[in-house]
Amino acid sequence: MITLNHYLALASILFCIGIYGVLTRRNAISVLMSIELMFNAANINFIAFSKFITPVFLTGQVFAVFVITIAAAEATVALAIVILIYRHHKEINVDKINFLKW
Amino acid sequence: MLASSWLIPLLPLVAFAFIVFFTNKRPKLSSYLSVGAVCGSFVLSVPVLFEVLKNPITSEFKFTWIDLQGFTIQMGILIDPLTAVMLMVVTIVSMLVHIYSIGYMAGDPRFSRYFSFLSLFTFAMLGLVLANNFFEIFIFWELVGLTSYLLIGFWFEKKVAADAGKKAFITTRTGDLGFLVGIFLLVSAAGTFNFNQIFHQIEAGSISTGILTVSAILIFAGAVGKSAQFPLHVWLPDAMEGPTPVSALIHAATMVAAGVYLVARTMTLFAASSSAGLIVAIIGAFTAFLAASIGLVQNDIKRVLAYSTISQLGYMMLALGLVGLTAGTFHLMTHAFFKALLFLGAGSVIHAMHTNDIWKMGGLFPKMKITAITFIIASLSISGIFPFSGFWSKDEIFAVAAEYHPIFLLVAIIVAFMTAFYMFRLCFVTFFGKPRDKHKFDHAHESPKVMTIPLMILAFLSIFAGWLGIPWLAKGYSSFVFFHHPHHAEPKIWLMLISTIVALSGIGLAYLIYYKGSISAEKLKEKFSFPYKLLFNKYYFDELYQAIIINPIMGFANFLFKFDLGIIDWLVNAFGNFTLFISNVKEWFDTNIVDGAVNGIAWIFKKACTGLRQIQTGYLSNYILVIFFGILLIILFKIA
Amino acid sequence: MESSVQSAVFYILSAIIVGSAILVVTLKNIFHSLLFLVLTFFSIAGIYVLLHAEFIAAVQVLIYVGAITVLLIFAIMMTAQIYSPVLRQTNEQVIPGLIIVGVLLITTLIVLGNTAWRVSEKLPETQSIVTIGKSLLTTYVLPFEVVSVVLITALISAIIIARRD
């Protein structure tokens, strides 16, 4: 019998893998992919809660729709920024880009 | 017409300013400017004279200069017959001397400056004459003193000239101090500077006699200094180091007469205090005698004339002290003309001979006819020979003296004798006899027209100016000065006869000694060797003053100097060193303690920040790592 | 019987998800990791089906597997550093990252285990699409509109940011 905790544990693991990717990858696109993994972990949580806690109203699924929408928007803008940075620096490795200083 | 008379002194001032600021580099133009200005003043003065002649009253024009609460200082002009006469004298003599100077000073490197000084002097003198209050007259009094100083020391490369300037300035200052104190005394009693108001108060008797006497004597001290009366007479002979036209204008005709003018102007004061008047008369008489006696034996042509001037000024003081306003001012006028003429004549001779020593001259008559004739006219005038102007004015003084006390008359007659003698000694030695210095004689020549024409004009005035004061004239000088109320001593025929005889005998003695040689001057010198030495050394006045005034003062000054150097400077230096030491300590404290603290704090911050700075890497990954670390901490904190 | 099948499917899908996700964050070839990302998305869609969320599963496939993946492929192509064996893909934060992630995971699992969820016993809505549609246009109409604005803003800003001046 698969309980809520199984799904939540899966989401946690996936989320942690995403964090690990964000922390360790150099390529900006890889970082973006890791972020998508974290979004999906969150979505799994929402859907699981929707199934097990609010099965009538499906609130979790509605929020999952919003999350997916935001994720799409985020991906678009982020990739646009990556391309812009690439044009300027011929480089998309985040550890070469340190203009967050000053 | 009278109201515009403020222009009279202004013209020379404008000329002075112009020369100083614009035409200093153009001597010709400067001299023309200066002469033009003084001619303008003369032209403006003539209508003033006629106006006053027509209607001899006192007119005053004034404005408030300084307004203190309840006390005002005014500037203004006062025009009365005395002023009108002085205006004429000053402008005429000044004008002629200006013209004469063009010739005399030709080629001098400071030609422009000379004329600017002359203009300044003319301005000051006219201002002095026109002043309507004590404050104003004192300002111009000092201003003429200043120009006198500047002109005596005009050839300041010569040490004697520079010293003479200093001597004149310091000596007259001594008198001016008295003058100033006298003014203060009088003004504090009267509450105003204005002449007329003070005189009204004196006439009304609202000022006590004691104050009047003291202030009159103090004011007279100023006149003593300026008019070179005993005991402050020593500066005038030395002042002869200045250019001769200056001697003629300032030290014979006008400035030295300012003292006489002052006494005449404040006549009411002296009339009100008989003891003060007596002091004036005694000093005048004594000075007249003293100076005339010194003049007998001097060898420098200008010095003889200088002593003559002192003596004649003494005459005027004598007359004024005995309340002979007419006599004093009348003699002032005639003296101005003939003494200016004498000086200008002497200047002409000096110009030709390049020496002042009469024993190097001689026989100049044929070579310098105009100069010689005019000089002799002036000598006759000063000696008091009928009908030259000096005769009339001197006779007035005799009459005044005779009315008061015979002793004054006696002194006056002796002085007249000596005057005639030394003047003709001068004439005979200079113009007649054999030339004593062949070389200089050969180079002698008559002066240019620009110099001789003023001589001739002055000669004319020396003869005829006195005729205004012929005592039997109904509307003569005396009535004029006294506003139609003639007041002068009764003319006495016997007195006139005596004076003429005395003068003639003086001339005769000079003739015998210096022209005929029938009495040997050398023998006289040997016979009266003590009086001769006394006179030749001017009664040792200079030596006396040196010994009793100058040396003690210098000694005291030296003592003070040593005191300054030894004690005061030592103290000051000690303070300085002490302060320096304190400063050094403070500097050490500042650099090591205060700066150290500040720098130390700065150093700490710098090190700390350099460390903290490492954290801000600018790399996104680092930041995210920190963010998650923070999140982790929060969670752990929450569940713990 | 049904539950055991479900369990089997769940575990298989979970294994695929976790495995491919680890590959996504560790592979050197960025293009390969993208392919494993696609596999992860598919498996997650499977999880959604298990949870009776067919609509979300469809949306997952359409948007993630379709749109976002294509976007990422474009980005990889344009930045031209697709593959290079010598290229180091990880930075020096591997050890701290691992520690943080490990601690976080353990903590999360402990928290999960200690939490008493108020699990609803009702049966899930069968017509999920209808319910979601109603919710979106009634209760959540304001967020729905806001999100649409966010989408259009992101679209325009992406164009503006990426265009060549």
Side-chain angles (χ1 to χ4, degrees), chain A residues 36-62:
Chain A
E36 297 301 339
L37 285 180
M38 289 157 74
F39 272 119
N40 274 286
N43 265 352
I44 290 172
N45 262 11
F46 275 125
I47 306 292
F49 284 135
S50 169
K51 162 95 186 297
F52 288 98
I53 294 177
T54 59
V56 180
F57 302 106
L58 296 180
T59 319
Q61 291 198 21
V62 174

PDB file of all heavy atoms in Angstrom, chain A residues 36-62:
ATOM      1  N   GLU A  36      14.333  22.811 -12.701  1.00  0.00           N
ATOM      2  CA  GLU A  36      13.117  22.142 -13.180  1.00  0.00           C
ATOM      3  C   GLU A  36      12.834  20.875 -12.356  1.00  0.00           C
ATOM      4  O   GLU A  36      11.685  20.564 -12.027  1.00  0.00           O
ATOM      5  CB  GLU A  36      13.265  21.768 -14.662  1.00  0.00           C
ATOM      6  CG  GLU A  36      13.436  22.946 -15.598  1.00  0.00           C
ATOM      7  CD  GLU A  36      12.295  23.940 -15.563  1.00  0.00           C
ATOM      8  OE1 GLU A  36      11.179  23.557 -15.134  1.00  0.00           O
ATOM      9  OE2 GLU A  36      12.514  25.117 -15.907  1.00  0.00           O
ATOM     10  N   LEU A  37      13.886  20.198 -11.969  1.00  0.00           N
ATOM     11  CA  LEU A  37      13.705  19.009 -11.127  1.00  0.00           C
ATOM     12  C   LEU A  37      13.035  19.395  -9.815  1.00  0.00           C
ATOM     13  O   LEU A  37      12.109  18.719  -9.338  1.00  0.00           O
ATOM     14  CB  LEU A  37      15.048  18.353 -10.833  1.00  0.00           C
ATOM     15  CG  LEU A  37      15.693  17.553 -11.971  1.00  0.00           C
ATOM     16  CD1 LEU A  37      17.027  16.984 -11.485  1.00  0.00           C
ATOM     17  CD2 LEU A  37      14.769  16.416 -12.414  1.00  0.00           C
ATOM     18  N   MET A  38      13.499  20.546  -9.223  1.00  0.00           N
ATOM     19  CA  MET A  38      12.919  20.979  -7.960  1.00  0.00           C
ATOM     20  C   MET A  38      11.455  21.347  -8.132  1.00  0.00           C
ATOM     21  O   MET A  38      10.606  21.027  -7.286  1.00  0.00           O
ATOM     22  CB  MET A  38      13.696  22.172  -7.397  1.00  0.00           C
ATOM     23  CG  MET A  38      15.088  21.790  -6.889  1.00  0.00           C
ATOM     24  SD  MET A  38      16.223  23.164  -6.859  1.00  0.00           S
ATOM     25  CE  MET A  38      15.620  24.040  -5.462  1.00  0.00           C
ATOM     26  N   PHE A  39      11.121  22.011  -9.270  1.00  0.00           N
ATOM     27  CA  PHE A  39       9.717  22.316  -9.550  1.00  0.00           C
ATOM     28  C   PHE A  39       8.881  21.041  -9.577  1.00  0.00           C
ATOM     29  O   PHE A  39       7.785  20.958  -9.008  1.00  0.00           O
ATOM     30  CB  PHE A  39       9.580  23.004 -10.927  1.00  0.00           C
ATOM     31  CG  PHE A  39       9.725  24.506 -10.857  1.00  0.00           C
ATOM     32  CD1 PHE A  39      10.726  25.169 -11.536  1.00  0.00           C
ATOM     33  CD2 PHE A  39       8.811  25.251 -10.125  1.00  0.00           C
ATOM     34  CE1 PHE A  39      10.826  26.517 -11.489  1.00  0.00           C
ATOM     35  CE2 PHE A  39       8.930  26.614 -10.079  1.00  0.00           C
ATOM     36  CZ  PHE A  39       9.931  27.269 -10.758  1.00  0.00           C
ATOM     37  N   ASN A  40       9.420  20.026 -10.222  1.00  0.00           N
ATOM     38  CA  ASN A  40       8.658  18.781 -10.337  1.00  0.00           C
ATOM     39  C   ASN A  40       8.472  18.112  -8.988  1.00  0.00           C
ATOM     40  O   ASN A  40       7.408  17.554  -8.697  1.00  0.00           O
ATOM     41  CB  ASN A  40       9.355  17.844 -11.322  1.00  0.00           C
ATOM     42  CG  ASN A  40       8.920  18.149 -12.752  1.00  0.00           C
ATOM     43  OD1 ASN A  40       7.808  17.820 -13.140  1.00  0.00           O
ATOM     44  ND2 ASN A  40       9.769  18.846 -13.488  1.00  0.00           N
ATOM     45  N   ALA A  41       9.499  18.215  -8.135  1.00  0.00           N
ATOM     46  CA  ALA A  41       9.352  17.651  -6.784  1.00  0.00           C
ATOM     47  C   ALA A  41       8.197  18.321  -6.062  1.00  0.00           C
ATOM     48  O   ALA A  41       7.353  17.666  -5.430  1.00  0.00           O
ATOM     49  CB  ALA A  41      10.662  17.863  -6.014  1.00  0.00           C
ATOM     50  N   ALA A  42       8.164  19.686  -6.213  1.00  0.00           N
ATOM     51  CA  ALA A  42       7.075  20.423  -5.582  1.00  0.00           C
ATOM     52  C   ALA A  42       5.736  19.985  -6.146  1.00  0.00           C
ATOM     53  O   ALA A  42       4.764  19.781  -5.409  1.00  0.00           O
ATOM     54  CB  ALA A  42       7.281  21.920  -5.802  1.00  0.00           C
ATOM     55  N   ASN A  43       5.679  19.797  -7.453  1.00  0.00           N
ATOM     56  CA  ASN A  43       4.429  19.379  -8.100  1.00  0.00           C
ATOM     57  C   ASN A  43       3.970  18.015  -7.581  1.00  0.00           C
ATOM     58  O   ASN A  43       2.784  17.792  -7.349  1.00  0.00           O
ATOM     59  CB  ASN A  43       4.613  19.319  -9.614  1.00  0.00           C
ATOM     60  CG  ASN A  43       4.154  20.641 -10.239  1.00  0.00           C
ATOM     61  OD1 ASN A  43       3.569  21.479  -9.520  1.00  0.00           O
ATOM     62  ND2 ASN A  43       4.382  20.809 -11.514  1.00  0.00           N
ATOM     63  N   ILE A  44       4.937  17.104  -7.420  1.00  0.00           N
ATOM     64  CA  ILE A  44       4.572  15.791  -6.897  1.00  0.00           C
ATOM     65  C   ILE A  44       3.927  15.968  -5.530  1.00  0.00           C
ATOM     66  O   ILE A  44       2.893  15.348  -5.226  1.00  0.00           O
ATOM     67  CB  ILE A  44       5.810  14.887  -6.808  1.00  0.00           C
ATOM     68  CG1 ILE A  44       6.290  14.504  -8.216  1.00  0.00           C
ATOM     69  CG2 ILE A  44       5.498  13.605  -6.016  1.00  0.00           C
ATOM     70  CD1 ILE A  44       7.605  13.778  -8.239  1.00  0.00           C
ATOM     71  N   ASN A  45       4.514  16.858  -4.717  1.00  0.00           N
ATOM     72  CA  ASN A  45       3.919  17.126  -3.411  1.00  0.00           C
ATOM     73  C   ASN A  45       2.475  17.590  -3.537  1.00  0.00           C
ATOM     74  O   ASN A  45       1.570  17.092  -2.864  1.00  0.00           O
ATOM     75  CB  ASN A  45       4.716  18.229  -2.715  1.00  0.00           C
ATOM     76  CG  ASN A  45       5.717  17.634  -1.729  1.00  0.00           C
ATOM     77  OD1 ASN A  45       5.925  16.405  -1.751  1.00  0.00           O
ATOM     78  ND2 ASN A  45       6.265  18.436  -0.884  1.00  0.00           N
ATOM     79  N   PHE A  46       2.281  18.592  -4.430  1.00  0.00           N
ATOM     80  CA  PHE A  46       0.926  19.128  -4.605  1.00  0.00           C
ATOM     81  C   PHE A  46      -0.066  18.051  -5.009  1.00  0.00           C
ATOM     82  O   PHE A  46      -1.159  17.932  -4.437  1.00  0.00           O
ATOM     83  CB  PHE A  46       0.925  20.223  -5.692  1.00  0.00           C
ATOM     84  CG  PHE A  46       1.303  21.591  -5.159  1.00  0.00           C
ATOM     85  CD1 PHE A  46       2.341  22.317  -5.701  1.00  0.00           C
ATOM     86  CD2 PHE A  46       0.579  22.148  -4.107  1.00  0.00           C
ATOM     87  CE1 PHE A  46       2.668  23.550  -5.230  1.00  0.00           C
ATOM     88  CE2 PHE A  46       0.911  23.389  -3.635  1.00  0.00           C
ATOM     89  CZ  PHE A  46       1.956  24.098  -4.184  1.00  0.00           C
ATOM     90  N   ILE A  47       0.325  17.263  -5.983  1.00  0.00           N
ATOM     91  CA  ILE A  47      -0.615  16.262  -6.489  1.00  0.00           C
ATOM     92  C   ILE A  47      -0.920  15.227  -5.389  1.00  0.00           C
ATOM     93  O   ILE A  47      -2.070  14.813  -5.194  1.00  0.00           O
ATOM     94  CB  ILE A  47      -0.035  15.543  -7.729  1.00  0.00           C
ATOM     95  CG1 ILE A  47       0.374  16.562  -8.795  1.00  0.00           C
ATOM     96  CG2 ILE A  47      -1.059  14.553  -8.307  1.00  0.00           C
ATOM     97  CD1 ILE A  47      -0.758  17.309  -9.432  1.00  0.00           C
ATOM     98  N   ALA A  48       0.166  14.895  -4.647  1.00  0.00           N
ATOM     99  CA  ALA A  48      -0.038  13.895  -3.592  1.00  0.00           C
ATOM    100  C   ALA A  48      -0.987  14.419  -2.524  1.00  0.00           C
ATOM    101  O   ALA A  48      -1.916  13.726  -2.096  1.00  0.00           O
ATOM    102  CB  ALA A  48       1.318  13.539  -2.966  1.00  0.00           C
ATOM    103  N   PHE A  49      -0.762  15.687  -2.133  1.00  0.00           N
ATOM    104  CA  PHE A  49      -1.692  16.265  -1.157  1.00  0.00           C
ATOM    105  C   PHE A  49      -3.102  16.344  -1.707  1.00  0.00           C
ATOM    106  O   PHE A  49      -4.089  16.129  -0.994  1.00  0.00           O
ATOM    107  CB  PHE A  49      -1.229  17.687  -0.764  1.00  0.00           C
ATOM    108  CG  PHE A  49      -0.041  17.700   0.188  1.00  0.00           C
ATOM    109  CD1 PHE A  49       1.012  18.546  -0.004  1.00  0.00           C
ATOM    110  CD2 PHE A  49      -0.034  16.817   1.293  1.00  0.00           C
ATOM    111  CE1 PHE A  49       2.077  18.548   0.866  1.00  0.00           C
ATOM    112  CE2 PHE A  49       1.032  16.838   2.155  1.00  0.00           C
ATOM    113  CZ  PHE A  49       2.106  17.701   1.951  1.00  0.00           C
ATOM    114  N   SER A  50      -3.203  16.680  -2.968  1.00  0.00           N
ATOM    115  CA  SER A  50      -4.514  16.771  -3.593  1.00  0.00           C
ATOM    116  C   SER A  50      -5.244  15.417  -3.487  1.00  0.00           C
ATOM    117  O   SER A  50      -6.425  15.360  -3.176  1.00  0.00           O
ATOM    118  CB  SER A  50      -4.338  17.192  -5.061  1.00  0.00           C
ATOM    119  OG  SER A  50      -5.546  17.055  -5.746  1.00  0.00           O
ATOM    120  N   LYS A  51      -4.473  14.354  -3.710  1.00  0.00           N
ATOM    121  CA  LYS A  51      -5.092  13.015  -3.706  1.00  0.00           C
ATOM    122  C   LYS A  51      -5.491  12.596  -2.292  1.00  0.00           C
ATOM    123  O   LYS A  51      -6.578  12.103  -2.068  1.00  0.00           O
ATOM    124  CB  LYS A  51      -4.078  11.998  -4.288  1.00  0.00           C
ATOM    125  CG  LYS A  51      -4.375  10.536  -3.969  1.00  0.00           C
ATOM    126  CD  LYS A  51      -5.159   9.884  -5.083  1.00  0.00           C
ATOM    127  CE  LYS A  51      -5.602   8.460  -4.737  1.00  0.00           C
ATOM    128  NZ  LYS A  51      -4.502   7.540  -4.515  1.00  0.00           N
ATOM    129  N   PHE A  52      -4.579  12.863  -1.358  1.00  0.00           N
ATOM    130  CA  PHE A  52      -4.801  12.288  -0.049  1.00  0.00           C
ATOM    131  C   PHE A  52      -5.496  13.219   0.940  1.00  0.00           C
ATOM    132  O   PHE A  52      -6.081  12.776   1.885  1.00  0.00           O
ATOM    133  CB  PHE A  52      -3.455  11.827   0.567  1.00  0.00           C
ATOM    134  CG  PHE A  52      -2.911  10.611  -0.111  1.00  0.00           C
ATOM    135  CD1 PHE A  52      -1.945  10.710  -1.086  1.00  0.00           C
ATOM    136  CD2 PHE A  52      -3.398   9.329   0.222  1.00  0.00           C
ATOM    137  CE1 PHE A  52      -1.455   9.588  -1.714  1.00  0.00           C
ATOM    138  CE2 PHE A  52      -2.891   8.214  -0.416  1.00  0.00           C
ATOM    139  CZ  PHE A  52      -1.917   8.331  -1.391  1.00  0.00           C
ATOM    140  N   ILE A  53      -5.408  14.567   0.736  1.00  0.00           N
ATOM    141  CA  ILE A  53      -5.954  15.474   1.748  1.00  0.00           C
ATOM    142  C   ILE A  53      -7.187  16.234   1.240  1.00  0.00           C
ATOM    143  O   ILE A  53      -8.166  16.394   1.951  1.00  0.00           O
ATOM    144  CB  ILE A  53      -4.873  16.441   2.237  1.00  0.00           C
ATOM    145  CG1 ILE A  53      -3.793  15.642   2.984  1.00  0.00           C
ATOM    146  CG2 ILE A  53      -5.441  17.504   3.197  1.00  0.00           C
ATOM    147  CD1 ILE A  53      -2.630  16.429   3.456  1.00  0.00           C
ATOM    148  N   THR A  54      -7.172  16.740  -0.028  1.00  0.00           N
ATOM    149  CA  THR A  54      -8.370  17.419  -0.536  1.00  0.00           C
ATOM    150  C   THR A  54      -8.850  16.745  -1.817  1.00  0.00           C
ATOM    151  O   THR A  54      -8.817  17.344  -2.891  1.00  0.00           O
ATOM    152  CB  THR A  54      -8.072  18.891  -0.826  1.00  0.00           C
ATOM    153  OG1 THR A  54      -7.034  18.957  -1.791  1.00  0.00           O
ATOM    154  CG2 THR A  54      -7.678  19.663   0.412  1.00  0.00           C
ATOM    155  N   PRO A  55      -9.290  15.491  -1.701  1.00  0.00           N
ATOM    156  CA  PRO A  55      -9.660  14.755  -2.936  1.00  0.00           C
ATOM    157  C   PRO A  55     -10.888  15.346  -3.622  1.00  0.00           C
ATOM    158  O   PRO A  55     -11.063  15.192  -4.833  1.00  0.00           O
ATOM    159  CB  PRO A  55      -9.934  13.322  -2.423  1.00  0.00           C
ATOM    160  CG  PRO A  55     -10.191  13.454  -0.982  1.00  0.00           C
ATOM    161  CD  PRO A  55      -9.539  14.678  -0.487  1.00  0.00           C
ATOM    162  N   VAL A  56     -11.735  16.135  -2.886  1.00  0.00           N
ATOM    163  CA  VAL A  56     -12.980  16.616  -3.497  1.00  0.00           C
ATOM    164  C   VAL A  56     -12.717  17.854  -4.331  1.00  0.00           C
ATOM    165  O   VAL A  56     -13.164  17.995  -5.457  1.00  0.00           O
ATOM    166  CB  VAL A  56     -14.021  16.911  -2.414  1.00  0.00           C
ATOM    167  CG1 VAL A  56     -15.325  17.404  -3.039  1.00  0.00           C
ATOM    168  CG2 VAL A  56     -14.269  15.655  -1.593  1.00  0.00           C
ATOM    169  N   PHE A  57     -11.971  18.791  -3.739  1.00  0.00           N
ATOM    170  CA  PHE A  57     -11.802  20.073  -4.449  1.00  0.00           C
ATOM    171  C   PHE A  57     -10.606  20.096  -5.388  1.00  0.00           C
ATOM    172  O   PHE A  57     -10.471  20.999  -6.190  1.00  0.00           O
ATOM    173  CB  PHE A  57     -11.650  21.208  -3.409  1.00  0.00           C
ATOM    174  CG  PHE A  57     -12.831  21.288  -2.484  1.00  0.00           C
ATOM    175  CD1 PHE A  57     -12.777  20.874  -1.171  1.00  0.00           C
ATOM    176  CD2 PHE A  57     -14.061  21.749  -3.004  1.00  0.00           C
ATOM    177  CE1 PHE A  57     -13.884  20.948  -0.349  1.00  0.00           C
ATOM    178  CE2 PHE A  57     -15.167  21.818  -2.148  1.00  0.00           C
ATOM    179  CZ  PHE A  57     -15.087  21.422  -0.822  1.00  0.00           C
ATOM    180  N   LEU A  58      -9.667  19.163  -5.226  1.00  0.00           N
ATOM    181  CA  LEU A  58      -8.491  19.063  -6.082  1.00  0.00           C
ATOM    182  C   LEU A  58      -7.652  20.365  -6.088  1.00  0.00           C
ATOM    183  O   LEU A  58      -7.118  20.773  -7.110  1.00  0.00           O
ATOM    184  CB  LEU A  58      -8.889  18.694  -7.524  1.00  0.00           C
ATOM    185  CG  LEU A  58      -9.536  17.309  -7.674  1.00  0.00           C
ATOM    186  CD1 LEU A  58      -9.884  17.078  -9.149  1.00  0.00           C
ATOM    187  CD2 LEU A  58      -8.616  16.210  -7.178  1.00  0.00           C
ATOM    188  N   THR A  59      -7.618  21.002  -4.909  1.00  0.00           N
ATOM    189  CA  THR A  59      -6.868  22.264  -4.804  1.00  0.00           C
ATOM    190  C   THR A  59      -5.417  22.078  -5.231  1.00  0.00           C
ATOM    191  O   THR A  59      -4.823  22.911  -5.910  1.00  0.00           O
ATOM    192  CB  THR A  59      -6.895  22.758  -3.350  1.00  0.00           C
ATOM    193  OG1 THR A  59      -8.195  22.544  -2.823  1.00  0.00           O
ATOM    194  CG2 THR A  59      -6.527  24.217  -3.262  1.00  0.00           C
ATOM    195  N   GLY A  60      -4.828  20.950  -4.806  1.00  0.00           N
ATOM    196  CA  GLY A  60      -3.428  20.699  -5.152  1.00  0.00           C
ATOM    197  C   GLY A  60      -3.221  20.687  -6.647  1.00  0.00           C
ATOM    198  O   GLY A  60      -2.232  21.245  -7.138  1.00  0.00           O
ATOM    199  N   GLN A  61      -4.162  20.082  -7.393  1.00  0.00           N
ATOM    200  CA  GLN A  61      -3.977  20.027  -8.848  1.00  0.00           C
ATOM    201  C   GLN A  61      -4.046  21.415  -9.463  1.00  0.00           C
ATOM    202  O   GLN A  61      -3.285  21.742 -10.379  1.00  0.00           O
ATOM    203  CB  GLN A  61      -5.038  19.108  -9.454  1.00  0.00           C
ATOM    204  CG  GLN A  61      -4.805  17.663  -9.064  1.00  0.00           C
ATOM    205  CD  GLN A  61      -5.548  16.698  -9.966  1.00  0.00           C
ATOM    206  OE1 GLN A  61      -5.930  17.023 -11.080  1.00  0.00           O
ATOM    207  NE2 GLN A  61      -5.764  15.464  -9.454  1.00  0.00           N
ATOM    208  N   VAL A  62      -4.982  22.234  -8.921  1.00  0.00           N
ATOM    209  CA  VAL A  62      -5.063  23.612  -9.435  1.00  0.00           C
ATOM    210  C   VAL A  62      -3.721  24.319  -9.243  1.00  0.00           C
ATOM    211  O   VAL A  62      -3.206  24.975 -10.151  1.00  0.00           O
ATOM    212  CB  VAL A  62      -6.178  24.376  -8.713  1.00  0.00           C
ATOM    213  CG1 VAL A  62      -6.184  25.830  -9.130  1.00  0.00           C
ATOM    214  CG2 VAL A  62      -7.499  23.734  -8.996  1.00  0.00           C
TER     215      VAL A  62
END
